[in-house]
Amino acid sequence: MPQDTLLHVFAQFGLVGLIGFLIGLEREMRSPESVTLGIRDFVLFALLGALSALLADHYDNTWLILAGFAALLALTLSSYWAERSHGPGVTTEIAAAVTFLLGVLVLSGRTELAIALAVATVAVLFPKAAIKRFRSQVQTQDMRAALLFLTITFIVLPVLPNLSLDHYASFPV
């Protein structure tokens, strides 16, 4: 392996480790006394995703990524079932799967997308109290109005023609 390629791969793995560290730090900050998956776990999940992508590229076999993801799912599900006192939430387990996939993205050459999604992931995970406070203030009519606006904007408007249907109503300027 040429020196430039090796340095590039090391930089990618460093970035993957940093992404895993950031997401794991947020998870540990959430409730440090009841953490089942912490910083080290998330770094390893990200590295597992990156290693799966590297091996899949090297051996030209994308099934290796699926095998790595299956291993991650087996680990997180066994952790989830072993510690049943934490309640019905699976946010940490989903964050672990996202971390794995972010590692795959970095090694697949989608570095900017992986960084943006890592920031978005932490942004969604971090403000739990603010999200709950916002949820308690939203009324049914607010949700109905937002849904109507989104339906008109993203479903109805793109379907409508971009020109006047009545040629007599349009006057040239």
Side-chain angles (χ1 to χ4, degrees):
M1 185 177 282
Q3 188 70 20
D4 291 342
T5 306
L6 186 61
L7 185 60
H8 181 68
V9 170
F10 281 169
Q12 286 177 320
F13 271 91
L15 177 62
V16 165
L18 186 62
I19 288 172
F21 179 84
L22 181 66
I23 295 173
L25 179 65
E26 190 287 325
R27 290 285 80 196
E28 269 197 22
M29 287 174 63
R30 176 68 42 222
S31 55
E33 65 281 347
S34 66
V35 170
T36 55
L37 299 174
I39 293 173
R40 295 181 308 160
D41 299 313
F42 278 90
V43 170
L44 291 174
F45 292 151
L47 290 174
L48 177 64
L51 186 60
S52 297
L54 182 71
L55 290 173
D57 182 53
H58 181 72
Y59 291 112
D60 197 29
N61 187 354
T62 55
W63 285 100
L64 291 172
I65 295 173
L66 185 63
F69 194 69
L72 167 87
L73 287 178
L75 287 170
T76 55
L77 288 177
S78 65
S79 169
Y80 180 79
W81 289 110
E83 184 64 39
R84 292 185 186 197
S85 64
H86 52 69
V90 292
T91 308
T92 301
E93 289 76 11
I94 292 172
V98 168
T99 305
F100 174 90
L101 294 172
L102 291 174
V104 172
L105 275 178
V106 170
L107 264 284
S108 299
R110 309 269 187 187
T111 305
E112 294 83 8
L113 179 62
I115 292 170
L117 289 174
V119 169
T121 300
V122 173
V124 166
L125 292 173
F126 189 68
K128 183 177 183 179
I131 291 172
K132 284 189 175 190
R133 193 169 44 253
F134 174 76
R135 167 38 197 112
S136 68
Q137 294 174 354
V138 173
Q139 302 296 319
T140 305
Q141 63 267 20
D142 299 330
M143 190 65 182
R144 187 176 298 121
L147 184 60
L148 181 63
F149 173 74
L150 292 171
T151 302
I152 291 169
T153 303
F154 295 107
I155 297 175
V156 175
L157 284 179
V159 174
L160 291 176
N162 198 13
L163 58 124
S164 175
L165 295 178
D166 182 15
H167 295 292
Y168 300 110
S170 60
F171 297 103
V173 180

